[in-house]
Amino acid sequence: MEEILSAIKESAKRICATIKDVDVGKTGHTNATGDTQLKLDVLSDQIIEECFSSLQSVKTLISEEKDEALHVRDSGRYIIGYDPLDGSSLVDVNLSVGSIFGIYEDGIGGANLKCAAYVVYGPRTELVIAQENVEHYRLGNDGEFKLLGQLKLGQKGKLNAPGGTQQHWPKFHKELIDSLFQNGYRLRYSGGMVPDLHQILCKGGGLFSYPSTTDVPKGKLRLVFEVFPFAFIYEKAGGQAIDGRGRILDLIPTHPHDTSPCFFGSNYEISQVIKTYERN
Ligand code: P6P
């Protein structure tokens, strides 16, 4: 596992430098889930592939930006699911973006996750790694990631990050989101799940939601590269992650690019989601 965490740090430094230099530019292609692929998406994917494909412990690489899994070596132990540059379209308006990693063993179900990590490329480059605890690092000018401490979610927070197109929300979902605002929650939503979920983790709690909508019934966010890693991280931080009905990490995808509705948050907010969804 150590060589994988080192490769995550190395790829983060290289992607951080690339974001600052390369224009966002479209490639004229779309990825397996229909997102327009930007040059930065492809470059970030290439960097991660270069950093990981030489590792003895890596068996397979599964990228949001590749239609098919990339077999690395039979003797490898881990399957790495990753989103190389989530929210890449936010780069050209200078908002924070991120890389997301799930390290799986013997399969790509939620229960197969052994470690999850993400990198936030913003005013600072920061790294969060979850194994038994959730550790928070910051990249220094010396090129080293320094440990800042552990991230933990409180029982109840103050931030509300409601994703999805509101006109396509179910009525009961809108009532749930509005009830949080009527109880004083602050809207914190940038359109980038990495900074949005990082903010809730760092500020001690709240709710991030990307529900099933009439236009995208299975949700937009991808299980293997986005939803499972953050579900793992939020649970290790003392919170929960559900799809509206059940625990996200109990899910098993039928395809590497499967998506799911998702709710990540502190225990109180998740209890409100469960109460709302079990009635509807
Ligand atoms: P919407 C970025 O494209 C992304 O995959 C996530 O980072 C983010 O949470 C979501 O999509 C934003 O989607 O529909 O709110 O623009």
Side-chain angles (χ1 to χ4, degrees):
M1 189 64 77
E2 278 315 306
E3 65 172 13
I4 290 174
L5 299 179
S6 298
I8 289 174
K9 292 174 183 175
E10 177 57 28
S11 66
K13 288 186 266 188
R14 289 179 56 188
I15 291 171
C16 179
T18 303
I19 286 170
K20 290 177 169 47
D21 279 349
V22 173
D23 69 296
V24 176
K26 293 180 181 176
T27 61
H29 303 291
T30 59
N31 66 18
T33 32
D35 294 343
T36 299
Q37 237 177 7
L38 305 180
K39 288 177 193 166
L40 275 176
D41 290 318
V42 174
L43 286 171
S44 301
D45 184 38
Q46 287 168 349
I47 287 170
I48 292 172
E49 184 181 329
E50 283 167 19
C51 290
F52 280 77
S53 51
S54 61
L55 303 184
Q56 292 306 308
S57 62
V58 173
K59 181 175 189 175
T60 308
L61 295 175
I62 306 179
S63 169
E64 182 181 296
E65 301 307 331
K66 289 191 176 75
D67 293 352
E68 304 300 329
L70 179 67
H71 179 71
V72 176
R73 61 175 48 75
D74 290 338
S75 58
R77 178 176 176 183
Y78 298 113
I79 302 160
I80 314 291
Y82 65 92
D83 182 355
L85 198 63
D86 183 80
S88 54
S89 61
L90 297 171
V91 169
D92 63 2
V93 292
N94 206 24
L95 287 177
S96 297
V97 291
S99 302
I100 310 168
F101 301 86
I103 294 95
Y104 300 84
E105 189 170 0
D106 298 331
I108 54 171
N112 297 113
L113 260 179
K114 301 303 175 194
C115 174
Y118 63 84
V119 183
V120 192
Y121 308 100
R124 295 153 164 169
T125 297
E126 298 195 354
L127 165 66
V128 169
I129 299 171
Q131 293 185 84
E132 273 322 301
N133 299 312
V134 181
E135 293 188 335
H136 183 195
Y137 298 82
R138 181 173 297 154
L139 181 62
N141 290 331
D142 60 358
E144 297 299 322
F145 280 95
K146 291 178 182 60
L147 179 64
L148 301 175
Q150 289 187 9
L151 295 175
K152 287 195 179 304
L153 286 163
Q155 283 301 309
K156 184 178 184 297
K158 299 183 179 64
L159 305 183
N160 189 9
T165 308
Q166 297 199 21
Q167 70 184 87
H168 298 308
W169 286 350
K171 184 173 179 295
F172 61 87
H173 179 81
K174 176 156 175 49
E175 289 166 358
L176 165 70
I177 298 302
D178 288 347
S179 72
L180 293 175
F181 287 131
Q182 285 148 20
N183 283 284
Y185 280 71
R186 311 301 297 265
L187 171 63
R188 292 292 184 272
Y189 191 79
S190 72
M193 78 181 294
V194 174
D196 290 343
L197 284 158
H198 184 61
Q199 179 171 196
I200 291 170
L201 269 175
C202 291
K203 300 287 187 185
L207 179 69
F208 174 101
S209 53
Y210 206 104
S212 166
T213 54
T214 51
D215 62 332
V216 192
K218 291 187 177 178
K220 173 182 183 182
L221 301 182
R222 280 74 26 159
L223 276 170
V224 173
F225 328 107
E226 297 168 328
V227 178
F228 281 155
F230 271 106
F232 186 91
I233 292 164
Y234 264 59
E235 286 197 358
K236 293 297 184 186
Q240 294 180 56
I242 62 172
D243 64 358
R245 309 285 170 201
R247 182 172 175 255
I248 286 279
L249 290 179
D250 292 339
L251 299 176
I252 301 173
T254 55
H255 186 280
H257 291 275
D258 278 357
T259 61
S260 171
C262 52
F263 301 81
F264 306 92
S266 304
N267 292 321
Y268 169 77
E269 288 84 349
I270 294 295
S271 71
Q272 298 307 303
V273 176
I274 293 168
K275 279 180 194 162
T276 302
Y277 274 70
E278 65 189 7
R279 288 198 299 263
N280 291 281

